[in-house]
Amino acid sequence: MAAQAEYFIETQLSNHQKHYGSFTFPSILSPNPKSSPSSLSVFTEAIKSHKPFLDSLLLKSGALLFRGFPVKTAKDFNDVVEAFGFEELPYVGGAAPRTNVVGRVFTANESPPDQKIPFHHEMAQVPEFPSKLFFFCEVEPGSGGETPIVLSHIVYEKMKEKYPEFVDRLEAHGLLYTRVLGEDDDPSSPIGRGWKSTFLTSNKAVAEERAAKLGMKLEWLSNGVKTVMGPIPAIKYDKSRQRKIWFNSMVAAYTGWEDSRNDPVKAVTFGDGQPLPADIIYDCLKILEDECVPIPWKKGDVMLIDNLATLHSRRSFDPPRRVLASLCK
């Protein structure tokens, strides 16, 4: 891979990477000072010409952070995403309130800055989830606001070692997710996406049809709709890396799906409807925190996450902060 040095160089970010034998998590790429990009078009062309290298690095490390490249606006970010050539995934069935900015670029979860967003694989609670997701820092945080990331197979291994019976039960029964949606978006809630934007319609019959395609059951209420998803697997097998992964929204739902409509303890159960043990959930949260790498955002940063390899979260922050996202099939 020495030839890649003509454009990309791998750099180190002290205290914000973990070293796992043959690879570093995440991989951090910067422009080679000897061939520093003078324009966005040079960067996007380099992405296209170095695609096999970038794909293999993502397969190995699970996340790539591009730092120091000339990406300034949402439109620039959209061009970067397009350069990778991944197919867009429409945001149908997700919980977070988001706004389309330009092209295939959306705001990241717009929940209030004082709220943490717990660890999750993007849209793990629905059958059709993105395989990859991009984040872009348009405005860096006043303070805080890091995006901690953690390798999913490490979490699975730690949980399997510590709670083998619990993990066996998860593998046997999967998980059931329940969430009550209002009619319109509630920006004060981290799961405040209303049913109209969740299903991209104001027609209840169309919403039911789209929910059914996701395997989701709807129960209409006077002030919204109760959604039940599952049972769906809590553990998946990552074929490309040949390992089991902790692919679920269990901790996120149990500790974070809380607002005026939702009780987080009831938001997720075993697939057979039995309650989850609180002590194990909170110990899983501790494992996630212990194993994670918090990524501090700098203006212009672009992060590419393999959604099968890596969970992500968001720490609370002091404004301003604007991070945009794009989801890929």
Side-chain angles (χ1 to χ4, degrees):
M1 292 186 183
Q4 311 312 325
E6 44 186 65
Y7 189 80
F8 295 106
I9 56 169
E10 294 189 52
T11 55
Q12 304 296 311
L13 187 61
S14 61
N15 302 322
H16 299 290
Q17 286 176 300
K18 278 187 182 279
H19 302 281
Y20 294 99
S22 64
F23 70 95
T24 303
F25 175 75
S27 287
I28 301 175
L29 296 172
S30 296
N32 188 331
K34 294 176 183 173
S35 61
S36 187
S38 56
S39 68
L40 181 73
S41 62
V42 174
F43 179 33
T44 55
E45 285 305 312
I47 290 168
K48 293 173 188 174
S49 61
H50 293 73
K51 188 72 167 29
F53 163 68
L54 296 172
D55 285 345
S56 66
L57 195 58
L58 183 63
L59 182 67
K60 188 165 72 169
S61 69
L64 307 180
L65 176 65
F66 296 87
R67 175 162 285 179
F69 295 92
V71 188
K72 296 182 172 66
T73 66
K75 172 69 170 63
D76 292 350
F77 175 47
N78 192 72
D79 290 349
V80 169
V81 174
E82 292 280 0
F84 276 89
F86 303 129
E87 194 178 345
E88 182 179 7
L89 180 81
Y91 189 58
V92 179
R98 295 179 189 269
T99 306
N100 183 230
V101 179
V102 62
R104 52 197 287 181
V105 171
F106 286 77
T107 55
N109 190 321
E110 294 176 314
S111 61
D114 61 333
Q115 296 180 7
K116 287 183 180 180
I117 297 171
F119 283 100
H120 60 288
H121 283 281
E122 192 65 31
M123 296 170 70
Q125 74 279 8
V126 294
E128 191 178 0
F129 49 83
S131 69
K132 296 171 185 69
L133 51 146
F134 289 87
F135 290 116
F136 162 61
C137 180
E138 189 176 38
V139 179
E140 65 184 74
S143 66
E146 299 92 343
T147 294
I149 55 177
V150 61
L151 285 167
S152 192
H153 73 287
I154 301 288
V155 181
Y156 172 80
E157 288 166 7
K158 298 269 183 189
M159 289 295 291
K160 180 74 173 175
E161 182 184 353
K162 196 165 185 182
Y163 302 109
E165 290 178 6
F166 172 74
V167 173
D168 287 347
R169 194 167 171 202
L170 272 185
E171 294 201 59
H173 296 286
L175 290 167
L176 204 60
Y177 298 94
T178 303
R179 191 160 52 92
V180 176
L181 283 59
E183 186 168 315
D184 299 308
D185 288 359
D186 174 6
S188 71
S189 165
I191 53 163
R193 203 164 179 227
W195 68 262
K196 288 182 176 178
S197 61
T198 296
F199 300 111
L200 306 176
T201 183
S202 56
N203 184 311
K204 288 184 178 181
V206 174
E208 286 178 7
E209 190 180 303
R210 290 180 179 165
K213 282 182 182 172
L214 293 170
M216 186 185 285
K217 299 179 189 73
L218 300 188
E219 181 185 318
W220 294 100
L221 309 170
S222 59
N223 60 344
V225 64
K226 179 180 178 181
T227 67
V228 181
M229 171 63 77
I232 59 173
I235 311 296
K236 286 188 183 292
Y237 184 72
D238 180 354
K239 291 178 185 173
S240 62
R241 298 175 180 86
Q242 299 187 318
R243 63 196 187 197
K244 286 186 176 181
I245 50 172
W246 192 253
F247 197 87
N248 60 68
S249 297
M250 181 186 77
V251 169
Y254 197 93
T255 66
W257 285 13
E258 182 173 12
D259 60 17
S260 59
R261 294 170 295 277
N262 291 277
D263 173 0
V265 174
K266 295 175 183 172
V268 60
T269 64
F270 283 113
D272 59 4
Q274 293 300 305
L276 297 168
D279 57 332
I280 295 180
I281 304 289
Y282 281 97
D283 200 33
C284 183
L285 175 58
K286 184 177 185 304
I287 289 169
L288 286 159
E289 291 286 357
D290 289 347
E291 294 297 325
C292 81
V293 179
I295 304 300
W297 289 108
K298 295 287 181 190
K299 180 175 170 57
D301 282 354
V302 173
M303 184 154 59
L304 168 56
I305 290 176
D306 187 317
N307 196 36
L308 277 171
T310 304
L311 300 100
H312 65 281
S313 64
R314 186 199 78 184
R315 290 186 176 168
S316 57
F317 62 93
D318 292 325
R321 178 190 190 267
R322 185 168 164 89
V323 173
L324 305 179
S326 186
L327 310 181
C328 308
K329 282 188 179 176

